[in-house]
Amino acid sequence: MRMRLGCRLTFQLPAPTPMILLLNVHYSRASDLEQPDLLVTDPSVAIEAYRDDFGNWCNRVKAPVGRFVVSTEGLIRDTGLSDPVDEAAEQHPVEQLPGNVLTYLLPSRYCESDVLSDFAWKHFSEVPPGWQRAQAVCDFVHKHVRFGYEHSRATRTAVETLNEGIGVCRDYTHLAIALCRCLNIPARYSTGYVSDIGQQPPYAPMDFAAWMEVYLGGKWWVFDPRNNDTRFGRVLIARGRDAADVPLTHSFGHHELCGFEVWIDKIEEAAEPSRGQN
């Protein structure tokens, strides 16, 4: 299937302000892009692109005073399949993990796995290790946390999410990541688009989404504690240890976000005309 995706963010700035923007589709999906989702700014400013330490595409700009709009729009091909599942995927002993995976077992800014260790082992030690344990973590977080945009707080950590029982998708993800790391399951933070394909209306306003990937059976697998169901049309933008590594926008100065639009929509292909009789 084919999908059109993009975003438009409008800022009001009191002074010229350097910004870092992570809004482009991840390089791992670059070959699927029929139309690249190039970053466009209004007014036009110089854009410097670079790759961060996690391999994510980033753009540096210096936003001018006043109204500043950044936008992307692309066209991507997708298999149309849901997130892969392998319930037989096994958990690796820590000593057998690849070196570049070990960092996703350690505590990070929003995922205080060192603080939550006793809680995690108390609640999940009886669940078989591997896929079942990771899914049990997602089931717990999905039921424990109450979603609401009014609960959004940029500084909320996994421990605070557990204690408060409220949050948005990044909070669900941080808590699930922290609990998985406590249980020696490597877990990393991912952000991007998740479509409404296959969901029943009415649809909520589209937003960027957060989910986690866990390392089992020698591969990374998507788990989505916020939705915790079958999803189609998931498109990665960036991944890191937690949201601190992959803010969609980061400004080095005060700014006001006064406009925010995100879209990812399936393109309905026109039916091929039937052939007439000769």
Side-chain angles (χ1 to χ4, degrees), residues 105-108 111-118 177-179 181-182:
L105 283 179
L106 305 178
S108 58
C111 302
E112 316 100 301
S113 50
D114 50 343
V115 180
L116 292 173
S117 181
D118 288 346
I177 287 173
L179 293 173
R181 290 177 184 173
C182 292

Side-chain angles (χ1 to χ4, degrees), residues 150-262:
E150 69 276 15
H151 305 315
S152 178
R153 187 173 76 239
T155 58
R156 182 181 287 115
T157 69
V159 169
E160 291 171 333
T161 299
L162 179 65
N163 293 337
E164 297 172 17
I166 55 175
V168 292
C169 59
R170 61 176 267 158
D171 302 309
Y172 285 73
T173 302
H174 284 149
L175 179 54
I177 287 173
L179 293 173
C180 282
R181 290 177 184 173
C182 292
L183 301 166
N184 296 332
I185 302 173
R188 63 189 183 188
Y189 183 95
S190 298
T191 186
Y193 299 91
V194 179
S195 79
D196 288 325
I197 295 169
Q199 301 298 304
Q200 294 298 314
Y203 305 121
M206 185 57 64
D207 195 355
F208 288 117
W211 62 88
M212 70 173 179
E213 297 176 0
V214 305
Y215 190 82
L216 298 169
K219 295 173 60 177
W220 290 99
W221 301 89
V222 167
F223 282 79
D224 188 341
R226 159 67 179 101
N227 294 305
N228 206 34
D229 60 7
T230 302
R231 290 283 164 155
F232 301 85
R234 189 184 301 272
V235 180
L236 178 69
I237 288 179
R239 57 167 67 107
R241 293 167 298 183
D242 60 28
D245 289 331
V246 289
L248 294 165
T249 64
H250 183 91
S251 71
F252 297 87
H254 178 74
H255 74 273
E256 178 184 353
L257 180 64
C258 49
F260 181 85
E261 299 173 76
V262 178

